[in-house]
Amino acid sequence: MKIDFIDLKSQYAALKTSVNERMQRVLEHGQYIMGPEVKELELALAQRVGAAHCITVSSGSEALLIALMALDLQPGDEVITTPFTFAATAEMIVLRGGKPVYVDIEPDTCNINVALIEAKVTSRTRAIMPVGLYGQVADMDAVNAIAARHGLAVIEDAAQSFGATYRGQQSCNLSTFGCTSFFPSKPLGCYGDGGAIFTNDDALAQAFREIRVHGQSARYTHTRIGVGGRMDTLQCAVVLAKLERFDWELQRRADIGTRYAELLAATGERADIELLTVRPDRNCVWAQYTVFVDHRTEVQARLLAQGVPTAVHYPKPLHLQPAYAADCCPECCPQSVIAGQRVMSLPMSADLTPAQQDHVVAALLEAVKPQ
Ligand SMILES: Cc1ncc(COP(=O)(O)O)c(C=O)c1O
C-alpha cells in the first residue's frame, strides 16, 4: 500500500473545479499583485478567526518578521520563545537584531512551559512568542497574563495551528497578534508560499499593511522601512477555494487523530509508543500527527519498508543548532532535547482512508517490537 505523508493530490482532485476556476479568473483579470482575491481572502479569514484585521503576506516567516518590525524590535531586545519549533520562529527575531530567549517545553504537549516564562523576563524583554506546535495552541491565557504584568506583546506563531480553538476562541485571535502560514503542507495551505497576520489593533494593522509594501502609506510615500511581503493574488485564490471544504477537513483531521489515539491505545498500556497530550480546554488540528518512540531511526526505517513515510519535527532544538547556540546554554532546555530524540510524525491528511490508517498503525506496532 502506498501512503503519502501528506496527501495533497487527493485534496486537489476534490477541489479541482473551484481551484481551477478561481485561478483562471485571476489569469484573466490580470491583477496578479494585490488583486481582488487578496481583499476577499482577508475578509473571509478575519471573519472566520473573529479578528478585526487580517493582512495576508508572502509567507509565515514574513508574517513573523513584519510583526516584529511593527513592534519596532531594537537590537538587543529579547523575545521569549520555545526552542522546539521550526527555525523561522527564532530566525525572524535574530534578523531584527533581537535575541531569542528560550524557555523549555512541556514534555507531554511539546508547547512552551508557561510556568518557566516569568523567570526569563528581563528589562530587555519586548515580547513573548509561543508556538502552537503540531496544531495545538499553548496556554495563551497564562502567557497573556504574564505579558500584561510586564507590558509585553504576545505574538502567536500559529503557522501550524490555524483552525484550532482554545477556550472557545480561534487560534490567531488569542493575543496582540497571530501569525500563520499557508505553506502547502499546513492545515490550510496554498500552492506555494503565503501567510497572514491577524490583529484587533487598528494601528498595528495599518503598520502591517504599510510594511508589507515597502513601508508605503500612499503610493511612493515611504513612511517607514518595509519589505516586499505581499501574498500573490493566485495564492489567495487557491486558499479561497480550499476554504470551501476547510471545516470538513478540520473535522476529518480531528476524527483521524482520535482514531489514531484509539487504535494505538487499544493495544494496552504501551510504553513503546507515547501519544501527545491534548489539553481539555483546546483542540489540535494535527498539522502533524506526532508520537514519541524510542529507537526512532530503526522504527522509521521499518515503517518505510512497509510503505509508511514518517518525518521528524524537529530532531534538534534551536538552542543546539549551530546558528543559534551562542544565545543559550546547552543544558537549559532538557525536555526539548529529549523530545527531539523521540518525536516522530505519522501520515496525516483529511483524505487519509481508514484502510491506510490501519496499515500505518499495524506497521507501527510491528516496527516498535523488539527485533
Ligand atoms: C512554527 C512555524 N513557524 C513559522 C513557519 C514559517 O512559515 P513559512 O514556511 O510559511 O515561512 C513554519 C513553517 O514551517 C512553522 O512551522
Side-chain angles (χ1 to χ4, degrees):
M1 186 181 283
K2 168 91 177 68
I3 299 173
D4 289 327
F5 183 66
I6 295 172
D7 182 5
L8 292 175
K9 284 187 234 99
S10 299
Q11 188 198 45
Y12 175 60
L15 289 167
K16 190 170 184 164
T17 308
S18 35
V19 169
N20 288 5
E21 276 175 15
R22 282 194 174 270
M23 291 183 85
Q24 189 70 34
R25 224 176 292 155
V26 177
L27 294 175
E28 278 161 20
H29 71 51
Q31 295 176 62
Y32 306 126
I33 299 292
M34 299 306 283
E37 285 77 5
V38 177
K39 188 98 256 149
E40 188 184 345
L41 179 64
E42 290 177 347
L43 289 174
L45 293 179
Q47 195 178 20
R48 185 179 177 95
V49 159
H53 305 278
C54 166
I55 296 92
T56 55
V57 293
S58 53
S59 69
S61 307
E62 208 70 13
L64 296 172
L65 182 65
I66 292 173
L68 292 169
M69 290 174 81
L71 275 187
D72 198 21
L73 198 79
Q74 294 295 318
D77 283 352
E78 296 175 1
V79 179
I80 294 175
T81 190
T82 160
F84 199 60
T85 177
F86 183 61
T89 311
E91 193 174 37
M92 298 305 126
I93 301 167
V94 176
L95 274 177
R96 290 300 301 154
K99 181 177 178 224
V101 173
Y102 300 112
V103 164
D104 208 1
I105 55 168
E106 302 168 332
D108 59 340
T109 65
C110 291
N111 273 332
I112 192 165
N113 186 340
V114 177
L116 305 177
I117 290 180
E118 207 150 16
K120 296 283 179 95
V121 175
T122 72
S123 58
R124 296 307 306 262
T125 311
R126 291 290 313 284
I128 308 173
M129 199 191 279
V131 177
L133 203 75
Y134 306 139
Q136 171 180 210
V137 298
D139 190 354
M140 294 299 287
D141 281 356
V143 174
N144 287 330
I146 295 167
R149 279 200 288 280
H150 298 276
L152 309 174
V154 177
I155 306 170
E156 183 195 2
D157 182 344
Q160 302 183 14
S161 61
F162 187 84
T165 56
Y166 168 87
R167 299 185 179 172
Q169 274 196 279
Q170 292 281 325
S171 174
C172 287
N173 192 25
L174 299 170
S175 60
T176 324
F177 34 85
C179 297
T180 198
S181 162
F182 303 125
F183 187 82
S185 61
K186 297 293 189 237
L188 182 63
C190 57
Y191 291 154
D193 278 309
I197 317 175
F198 297 83
T199 186
N200 292 306
D201 182 314
D202 296 346
L204 275 176
Q206 184 58 25
F208 298 150
R209 288 201 177 91
E210 291 178 12
I211 293 169
R212 157 176 87 170
V213 288
H214 303 284
Q216 293 175 92
S217 51
R219 195 155 195 207
Y220 299 126
T221 303
H222 300 271
T223 315
R224 54 175 96 227
I225 301 297
V227 292
R230 297 157 301 221
M231 182 164 162
D232 294 347
T233 313
L234 271 172
Q235 298 302 345
C236 291
V238 171
V239 177
L240 280 166
K242 292 225 193 164
L243 275 178
E244 287 171 21
R245 66 162 212 171
F246 187 55
D247 284 323
W248 176 83
E249 289 193 6
L250 286 177
Q251 189 56 52
R252 286 283 304 149
R253 284 176 176 277
D255 293 346
I256 292 167
T258 303
R259 191 159 182 268
Y260 262 137
E262 284 167 1
L263 292 173
L264 292 169
T267 52
E269 196 52 47
R270 310 197 59 94
D272 42 8
I273 306 168
E274 280 175 59
L275 306 181
L276 208 71
T277 300
V278 180
R279 300 264 183 258
D281 58 356
R282 62 204 89 160
N283 68 355
C284 185
V285 291
W286 301 118
Q288 278 85 37
Y289 190 85
T290 302
V291 296
F292 303 95
V293 291
D294 293 322
H295 312 292
R296 183 178 60 202
T297 310
E298 293 83 346
V299 170
Q300 284 190 285
R302 287 175 204 139
L303 283 168
L304 196 59
Q306 297 303 313
V308 177
T310 56
V312 176
H313 306 97
Y314 298 91
K316 198 189 258 192
L318 297 183
H319 71 294
L320 300 183
Q321 294 284 353
Y324 298 93
D327 286 330
C328 201
C329 64
E331 296 82 27
C332 70
C333 297
Q335 297 300 338
S336 304
V337 178
I338 295 170
Q341 289 159 356
R342 299 191 69 224
V343 286
M344 182 180 76
S345 304
L346 302 175
M348 165 57 81
S349 30
D351 295 287
L352 192 74
T353 65
Q356 289 175 319
Q357 199 177 10
D358 289 343
H359 179 72
V360 172
V361 170
L364 176 58
L365 296 178
E366 198 54 40
V368 295
K369 276 189 189 155
Q371 307 280 309

